[in-house]
Amino acid sequence: MANKKLFVGGLSWDTTDATLGAFFAQVGSVVSANVIIDRYSGKSKGFGFVEMSSEDEAAKAQQELNGQSLDGRSIAVSE
């Protein structure tokens, strides 16, 4: 089974790799979760990537978590 990477946009500046991973773990097995950080300011760029352990879990995450609130912001989940 191939891992499937999802793009997550609209993240709060408070969201961390750990909180992003925990949020997606509600719907499946998370392989990795990375919030993209600006190397100059050290702040989140407001988006990240979550790798799910299967296509099915990625589809479920996209379906169930797209538009949901994480750290007070509505997130966008896409491939």
Side-chain angles (χ1 to χ4, degrees):
M1 275 230 197
N3 293 344
K4 186 75 176 164
K5 196 169 253 189
L6 295 170
F7 171 83
V8 186
L11 293 177
S12 160
W13 280 280
D14 299 327
T15 303
T16 64
D17 293 353
T19 56
L20 184 61
F23 189 71
F24 275 78
Q26 299 174 85
V27 295
S29 183
V30 175
V31 176
S32 67
N34 298 80
V35 175
I36 305 306
I37 303 295
D38 182 281
R39 78 177 120 208
Y40 299 108
S41 70
K43 287 191 169 181
S44 164
K45 288 191 171 186
F47 68 93
F49 297 93
V50 175
E51 196 174 352
M52 302 300 285
S53 66
S54 73
E55 295 260 353
D56 291 343
E57 289 183 339
K60 183 178 178 192
Q62 191 173 347
Q63 190 177 358
E64 293 187 18
L65 301 180
N66 187 40
Q68 294 297 315
S69 178
L70 173 59
D71 293 331
R73 297 272 317 255
S74 177
I75 64 169
V77 182
S78 58
E79 284 187 35

